[in-house]
Amino acid sequence: MVSLLRNQKVRNTLLQVLFVGSLAAMVLACVMIARRNLAEQGITSGFDFLFKSTGWDVNFSLLPANANDPYWWFFLIGIINTLFLGTTGLVLATIVGTIVGLARTSSNELARLLGRTYVDIFRNIPLILQVFFWYAVITHLPTPRAAHEAFGMLLTSRGLYVPIPNVGGAALAAAMLAVIAAIALPVWLGRTPRLNQPFGERSTIQLAGAAAALACAAVILAVGRLPDLPLLDFPALQGLNLKGGMRIPPEFSALAIAIAIYGGSYIAEIVRGGFKAVGKGQMEAALSLGLSPWRVFTLVRLPLALRAMLPILANQYVWLMKATTMGIAVGFTDFFMIVALTINHSGQTLEVIGILMAGFLAINLSLAAVFNRINKAIALKGNQLRG
Amino acid sequence: MDSTLPSGPAVRIEGLDKHYGSFHALRKINLSVERGEKIVICGPSGSGKSTLIRCINRLEQHDGGRVTVLGTELNDDVANIDGIRREVGMVFQHFNLFPHMTVLENCMIAPMIVRKRPRAEAETTARRFLEKVRIPEQAMKFPSQLSGGQQQRVAIARALCMQPQIMLFDEPTSALDPEMIAEVLDVMVTLASEGMTMICVTHEMGFARRVADRVIFMDAGEIVEEAPPEAFFTSCRNERTRQFLSQVLGH
């Protein structure tokens, strides 16, 4: 018996069994205590409430919603709002971060100083303060009657009003995909090594690709267009309020700007680090082959920097996605705010917190999975330590 | 800028000066390299050998004197710099291959983009030169899957694919294990026997004796001694050269 306990395998197995057993006991105890407490307070647990109507409304939704809709529909709206805010914030933060990060690695002293100042300021102010600041700025914009107008968009204290096309939802989505293809195709055609044409002489193929995709978009829009209405629905003043177009509420704009500027300062540092990680030797080799500085950047420096950036960038994106929960501070109905309101109105705290956790897990795990996939696809092959 | 250019030296360096801050890296260097000539430059570390050959394709900017390569003077004219880099290949101490491209892509990228060769032609050329450096079977591998000696031979092939008129070698064997040095030197000897103009910074004295037309010894940013290999190794005049040689050949 003693000798059996001395066996390393037996010991390890025993430890594992003990660990899992105590964990299971703890979970069981928690569940039982929670059930007893819930029963004492007369709260029925379960997910039936999901199919009851909420009785309250949301202030922003990409899908139709009103107080008669059930809770599960509101959760869906919350997730879509979070994804919409998160994606907008991430894209803007990436653009800001790339510009500032490049400024910080530039050879121009003024650009470096500006970039550094930006990072020092915005990285060190808590995100929630920045959200409040931009919310205050945006809600102090002029009233609808004195709105700023630019490109058919109206900028007011009630939000940003943008024109929307009078086109069916599915057709609109398809047209957007086609426009994305029009941007992505030339880039892909310019880079793929499979085309039997020198890299410098592909502009015709690239132009043709972009034109074809844009033509597709135009056809889709023409077919999916709602009858008897102008192609674009412009917002306009009607009485004391604005009608038409789509209203982006100040809460959304404030959050998106804050996430873009705050996240941008972090991403700038990631971008800077990525570029610093590229060896000077590779760039010198490329220059010595006669490649122009622009080609050295696009073919050697950027691809290598991206590989260094991606893992950290994925981490930052997951972080910023969670930062959308600041929505509750200014009253944007993101997933977290819907959850908070639901707890108040239905009392199903445990279930709703569970849904919240599952929702964010799903969002962030998918994000991480996508990035891991990209990472794996472009990772440098072979053992870097050799040679 | 092609081989039918009027005769004249491949590289002419007159009164070259170079500072790094207050450090005087090169002092009034004069050097002329004829077409087809093989030059070996040696000297203690910090003597300015690498800086000198890096001035020839303007990886370093000189701040005094003139550098003329294949009849074109190197100055701030970007077109001149690009034109010269196209005709001057360079091999580095640490290989500097592009780690995100296969060996074949490493060799094809510059001919396709700089010389605008069609893909098929660039690939044929690349395979021919990989054959020449004796690693055709590694074409589809990535650089870090190869040994140091193989990587350096790919680097030589990559430079040759641009079909340059001059090749610069910056300590090509210094980062290699002893048994890999031979395979790289063999390739360089073959290249020399085919008439390539070569300027090599190296401490491989056996290679210098076998291949070089002239051996140049540098110290403290100056050319101290310049002689054909036989004379250089047997009857050098300068005390510093003798000291250096006794250290390099000592054991």
Side-chain angles (χ1 to χ4, degrees), chain B residues 95-109:
Chain B
F95 332 134
N96 298 349
L97 295 173
F98 307 132
H100 57 305
M101 301 179 193
T102 61
V103 164
L104 195 62
E105 285 164 349
N106 262 282
C107 296
M108 290 165 60
I109 192 95

Side-chain angles (χ1 to χ4, degrees), chain A residues 19 67 73 88 196 237 247 296:
Chain A
F19 179 69
W73 181 249
T88 313
N196 186 14
L237 195 65
R247 169 175 170 268
V296 174

Side-chain angles (χ1 to χ4, degrees), chain A residues 118-365:
Chain A
Y118 178 93
V119 170
D120 281 349
I121 291 177
F122 290 106
R123 202 170 52 160
N124 290 316
I125 298 175
L127 177 58
I128 194 153
L129 284 185
Q130 300 196 35
V131 172
F132 280 134
F133 173 77
W134 291 110
Y135 188 58
V137 168
I138 289 169
T139 48
H140 283 84
L141 287 170
T143 59
R145 265 201 274 187
H148 293 303
E149 193 181 342
F151 311 110
M153 295 189 296
L154 294 176
L155 202 58
T156 78
S157 60
R158 288 192 200 161
L160 177 68
Y161 289 78
V162 292
I164 47 166
N166 278 318
V167 175
L172 199 59
M176 263 161 74
L177 279 181
V179 170
I180 291 173
I183 299 168
L185 257 181
V187 177
W188 183 74
L189 288 173
R191 295 189 49 82
T192 176
R194 291 174 198 90
L195 279 181
N196 186 14
Q197 189 137 8
F199 286 105
E201 294 172 4
R202 290 182 175 180
S203 41
T204 335
I205 311 177
Q206 285 171 303
L207 270 178
L214 282 180
C216 270
V219 169
I220 294 169
L221 282 181
V223 171
R225 191 176 155 181
L226 300 179
D228 309 325
L229 284 171
L231 186 58
L232 279 178
D233 183 15
F234 282 100
L237 195 65
Q238 228 174 61
L240 288 175
N241 210 344
L242 290 160
K243 285 270 150 61
M246 182 174 134
R247 169 175 170 268
I248 312 247
E251 294 81 20
F252 179 88
S253 313
L255 285 162
I257 294 174
I259 290 176
I261 286 180
Y262 176 79
S265 67
Y266 276 90
I267 291 176
E269 287 299 90
I270 296 171
V271 169
R272 183 173 75 106
F275 278 105
K276 288 253 160 166
V278 180
K280 221 173 127 222
Q282 270 76 34
M283 270 142 36
E284 282 182 347
L287 284 173
S288 77
L289 286 167
L291 293 166
S292 65
W294 170 245
R295 285 295 188 182
V296 174
F297 180 81
T298 56
L299 292 172
V300 178
R301 200 161 167 230
L302 185 64
L304 290 176
L306 266 181
R307 284 166 172 81
M309 281 179 227
L310 262 183
I312 329 171
L313 212 50
N315 201 28
Q316 190 63 39
Y317 282 168
V318 166
W319 198 102
L320 286 177
M321 202 43 113
K322 289 185 290 186
T324 56
T325 50
M326 294 277 171
I328 200 165
V330 287
F332 176 70
T333 43
D334 71 315
F335 187 35
F336 184 54
M337 181 152 171
I338 300 257
V339 162
L341 290 172
T342 305
I343 291 175
N344 275 344
H345 285 88
S346 71
Q348 306 289 340
T349 314
L350 291 177
E351 295 84 347
V352 178
I353 294 276
I355 292 174
L356 174 72
M357 295 200 301
F360 266 103
L361 262 182
I363 292 173
N364 279 343
L365 286 181

